[in-house]
Amino acid sequence: MSIALEPSWLEILKDEFEKDYMIKLKAFLQQEKEAGYTIYPKSKDIFNAFAKTPFDDVKVVIIGQDPYHGPGQAHGLAFSVQKGVAVPPSLQNIFKELKQEFIDFKIPKDGDLTQWAGQGVLLLNATLTVRANQAGSHQKKGWEIFTNKVIEEISNRKQDVVFLLWGKFAQAKSELIDSQKHHLLKAAHPSPLAAHNGFFGCRHFLKTNLILEGKKLKPIDWQIT
């Protein structure tokens, strides 16, 4: 596992890589590799969310659970898939909600959300790797400790970040966030099983931009081109 973390994040998180949990996590990932399992995303993309959204640029945080586990899907950004890969159902629903919120939004063919990341949207999965075709297979191996630390550092060091917390798993992360300093928007998960229970109609993307504009920050252009 490469730990060539983007410099601003490495400055904040460098001590984590020497802790027992991370040493055990590295060993676990090495064992998976030696056992012949395919791991997603590719090693170079494990920390892609940090590479695409430096710490100083973070304005919005979207929290996912773990990477997609199908071939060619995951590339280190929560909810995002690589160009040329079929758009997963949850992301389809995210695009549908965007279409409802912004009449000019055009539903894209691809689900690569790199353009969001480049505008300050940290697309953070709680678990950063997964075994091919086995959802949740790398949960509770140490990644959650690391990503909880990421959320805590954002909460402690920044001001007026908008956190989009979709579903019970993401909403549980609110315990790590100072709600007096930041903006927590909660809704159902966009998966087909839950989206009709409060994700559709949440207007989170419009609300996010209104918050940013109210703080004299540039709003997010949610359109994917």
Side-chain angles (χ1 to χ4, degrees):
M1 179 181 67
S2 170
I3 55 170
L5 208 58
E6 188 278 332
S8 66
W9 285 107
L10 184 60
E11 179 63 26
I12 294 165
L13 299 168
K14 58 181 181 294
D15 291 345
E16 297 303 300
F17 292 97
E18 306 303 322
K19 292 182 177 179
D20 286 345
Y21 82 86
M22 185 60 75
I23 293 169
K24 290 176 182 176
L25 174 58
K26 291 178 189 176
F28 166 74
L29 292 172
Q30 184 62 33
Q31 289 167 8
E32 290 279 274
K33 183 177 179 180
E34 290 173 357
Y37 292 112
T38 298
I39 305 302
Y40 297 132
K42 293 180 179 178
S43 180
K44 68 180 180 62
D45 290 331
I46 290 173
F47 296 107
N48 198 25
F50 305 95
K52 301 300 185 187
T53 313
F55 181 81
D56 290 344
D57 295 346
V58 175
K59 298 190 289 189
V60 181
V61 179
I62 298 178
I63 298 176
Q65 194 157 0
D66 61 351
Y68 297 117
H69 53 83
Q73 290 182 304
H75 63 134
L77 305 178
F79 292 100
S80 179
V81 290
Q82 299 183 72
K83 283 184 169 63
V85 176
V87 178
S90 291
L91 186 52
Q92 290 180 29
N93 286 339
I94 288 171
F95 290 157
K96 288 176 184 177
E97 174 60 21
L98 276 160
K99 181 64 176 176
Q100 292 298 311
E101 295 187 28
F102 301 97
I103 193 168
D104 293 335
F105 182 83
K106 295 180 176 64
I107 294 180
K109 298 176 183 176
D110 287 309
D112 184 344
L113 305 181
T114 299
Q115 287 176 270
W116 293 4
Q119 298 176 75
V121 182
L122 180 66
L123 297 162
L124 181 67
N125 277 319
T127 302
L128 298 187
T129 57
V130 68
R131 188 187 292 177
N133 304 314
Q134 295 188 37
S137 49
H138 286 186
Q139 292 177 7
K140 299 180 181 178
K141 300 296 184 182
W143 279 128
E144 295 90 341
I145 301 172
F146 178 76
T147 53
N148 281 352
K149 177 68 171 177
V150 170
I151 295 167
E152 289 176 338
E153 291 293 343
I154 293 170
S155 178
N156 292 339
R157 293 171 182 257
K158 296 185 76 72
Q159 184 85 27
D160 289 314
V161 173
V162 183
F163 289 84
L164 304 186
L165 306 176
W166 299 331
K168 292 181 180 178
F169 178 86
Q171 289 166 19
K173 302 296 183 181
S174 62
E175 297 179 358
L176 306 171
I177 305 163
D178 185 346
S179 60
Q180 301 301 308
K181 293 173 59 184
H182 302 285
H183 309 270
L184 280 60
L185 302 182
K186 300 178 182 181
H189 195 277
S191 74
L193 296 175
H196 289 282
N197 294 326
F199 179 76
F200 290 134
C202 70
R203 300 180 71 79
H204 276 189
F205 304 100
L206 180 59
K207 290 176 181 177
T208 294
N209 280 355
L210 290 173
I211 291 168
L212 294 176
E213 288 171 338
K215 298 298 177 181
K216 309 299 183 187
L217 297 171
K218 187 176 181 180
I220 307 301
D221 180 0
W222 300 106
Q223 184 65 61
I224 303 297
T225 58

